[in-house]
Amino acid sequence: MRVRVPPNSAILQAPVPTSAAPAICPWCSTRLLYPRARPSRRHFSSTRIHASAWAAAVSKIQNTVADVLPVRPTSGNITIDPLKIVAEELKFLNKNIRQLLGSGHPILDTVAKYYTQSEGKHVRPLLVLLMSRATAFAAKQPRHNPESLSRRDIDTPISSPTVLYDNNPDQTASPSPLAEPSNEARYAFPDDATILPTQRRLAEITELIHTASLLHDDVIDHSTTRRSAPSANTEFGNKMAVLAGDFMLGRASVALARLRDPEVVELLATVIANLVEGEFMQLKNTASDEKYPAWSEQTITYYLQKTYLKSASLISKSCRAAALLGQCAPSVVEAAYSYGKNLGLAFQLVDDMLDYTISGTELGKPAGADLELGLATAPLIFAWRSHPELGELVGRKFSEEGDVQRARDIVAQSDGLEETRALAQEYADKAISSISFFPNGEAKDGLEEMCVKVMKRRK
Ligand code: FPP
Ligand code: MG
């Protein structure tokens, strides 16, 4: 049963905490230039004592909510495994995704399903599922489509099947060999009433969009490995890898439409555009792509904007979409969005750091790839501030012999990695404080733990 908070609960009126320095970072209001890394908070607990007036108000709200909720008691240092919290749902994720990707064309079927063979980290679906469960507490604020859709509804075409599967309208008598699998063949998932069928499908859609972007990304980056196996472009060639990615986006779009929620369609379609915009921005290291760029604050602003579009947008908008599908009140929707935005930025900053610090074997993909690809990411951008000689190397995208090693050495001697970690920690902290007014419980603990895991991850 989805737990309901009385409609007049204070939680409906709770403002979302926001920080006030948008002039510095347009995406998350974090200071972009700050003193050297300060000690980071290593442990987060739902029972943390807050000092501010805001925190006092939140604590009051939490107590109100706790009165009507079956809240799991949290004590001290409980180790939470976010994966376990939604393990039942995740068990079916790959199977359902493979069903969504089914094609009657055998080669397309194989290529499209290729990256679903090896288990990915499933970070995005995991976050959507945790967010769905963590926001199930919120009082409902029905939008345009108040009735929640059943499992069958989200598989039901909106258009007539004769139109949808009209591979050749002149031959309507023969069923299309490329049609989607029938509804009956489809969709197993557990009966967990705290996660709606639409939210579960959203989790699958996020993984489809992410995987499609990886298929394209590996072509752009000439990657030879992915998830400790040959990349799709290596295995099937660039053309098939690109087309498989396109096909995946097509199937993701169909599934998205069948959620029958225009606001959610708009959000996730925007994510697809954002991924392309971010990838485009990444082709240049600075806004005007000068030959001899000088470091400026604009360098970091540009990098963070690219990072948001390429990596955080999918997480922020899908967390927001999960709350919208749950018919949550606006304050909860904003909190989910803010959590996703900040966690997404932390995630990519750590990714950029690992590219300098972890071996390819441990990562399951080529390490040190960013510099080889000519990319100036956070560790180098921070190092560049105190090592202006890096500008020339950035300008020529580390293309001359010895450039990559020189850049790597300068980064190693600088505080670039430390500063990257500190900035990631700030975002992770912000993600946690965004959801601080959610009532204590397993799913909220899981979301907080994701922030800890993102900071600790080695792959
Ligand atoms: C991985 O980056 C790639 C992304 C996060 C997004 C890539 C986006 C595109 C290629 C645009 C096209 C988008 C769609 C939806 C088809 P990375 O190279 O930093 O990470 P990696 O080391 O895992 O390859
Ligand atoms: Mg790549």
Side-chain angles (χ1 to χ4, degrees), residues 99-113:
Q99 279 175 343
L100 288 172
L101 286 175
S103 167
H105 191 297
I107 303 176
L108 178 56
D109 194 79
T110 305
V111 186
K113 289 175 182 167

Side-chain angles (χ1 to χ4, degrees), residues 212-214 216-217 220-221 226 249 275-276 279 310 365:
S213 80
L214 294 184
H216 287 193
D217 180 70
I220 294 170
D221 291 352
R226 167 77 61 191
L249 284 183
L275 284 165
V276 177
E279 193 71 9
K310 189 188 128 181
K365 59 185 184 184

Side-chain angles (χ1 to χ4, degrees), residues 228-421:
S228 306
S231 59
N233 44 308
T234 304
E235 195 74 359
F236 307 103
N238 283 351
K239 291 181 188 177
M240 286 203 213
V242 168
L243 289 172
D246 293 341
F247 178 69
M248 226 175 238
L249 284 183
R251 281 290 162 83
S253 305
V254 171
L256 192 54
R258 288 181 190 164
L259 296 179
R260 292 161 166 82
D261 188 321
E263 191 172 350
V264 170
V265 173
E266 183 181 60
L267 281 171
L268 274 290
T270 302
V271 167
I272 296 174
N274 287 166
L275 284 165
V276 177
E277 288 167 326
E279 193 71 9
F280 245 87
M281 285 181 78
Q282 186 174 272
L283 296 175
K284 316 281 178 205
N285 281 320
T286 56
S288 36
D289 200 29
E290 313 93 312
K291 208 159 178 223
Y292 297 98
W295 191 94
S296 74
E297 284 203 30
Q298 176 59 26
T299 316
I300 298 195
T301 307
Y302 182 85
Y303 163 81
L304 284 174
Q305 185 177 350
K306 180 273 296 175
T307 301
Y308 174 77
L309 293 169
K310 189 188 128 181
S311 306
S313 171
L314 176 52
I315 300 177
S316 68
K317 294 191 179 75
S318 59
C319 282
R320 184 182 187 92
L324 286 169
L325 289 170
Q327 311 290 330
C328 296
S331 61
V332 175
V333 171
E334 294 307 328
Y337 173 59
S338 171
Y339 171 89
K341 177 176 67 178
N342 287 297
L343 181 69
L345 288 165
F347 185 88
Q348 187 57 44
L349 282 161
V350 171
D351 214 69
D352 291 349
M353 200 176 68
L354 294 180
D355 198 63
Y356 280 85
T357 57
I358 303 286
S359 74
T361 322
E362 209 175 330
L363 276 175
K365 59 185 184 184
D370 289 342
L371 284 174
E372 303 281 358
L373 288 165
L375 305 181
T377 61
L380 185 127
I381 290 172
F382 283 123
W384 182 6
R385 193 174 43 194
S386 49
H387 293 270
E389 67 273 26
L390 277 170
E392 196 179 335
L393 278 63
V394 171
R396 59 176 185 247
K397 299 198 167 62
F398 317 99
S399 58
E400 286 187 12
E401 202 168 332
D403 279 1
V404 166
Q405 193 52 49
R406 198 163 148 231
R408 211 167 269 156
D409 292 344
I410 296 175
V411 170
Q413 287 156 22
S414 76
D415 291 327
L417 289 164
E418 211 180 307
E419 292 194 54
T420 304
R421 167 167 284 284

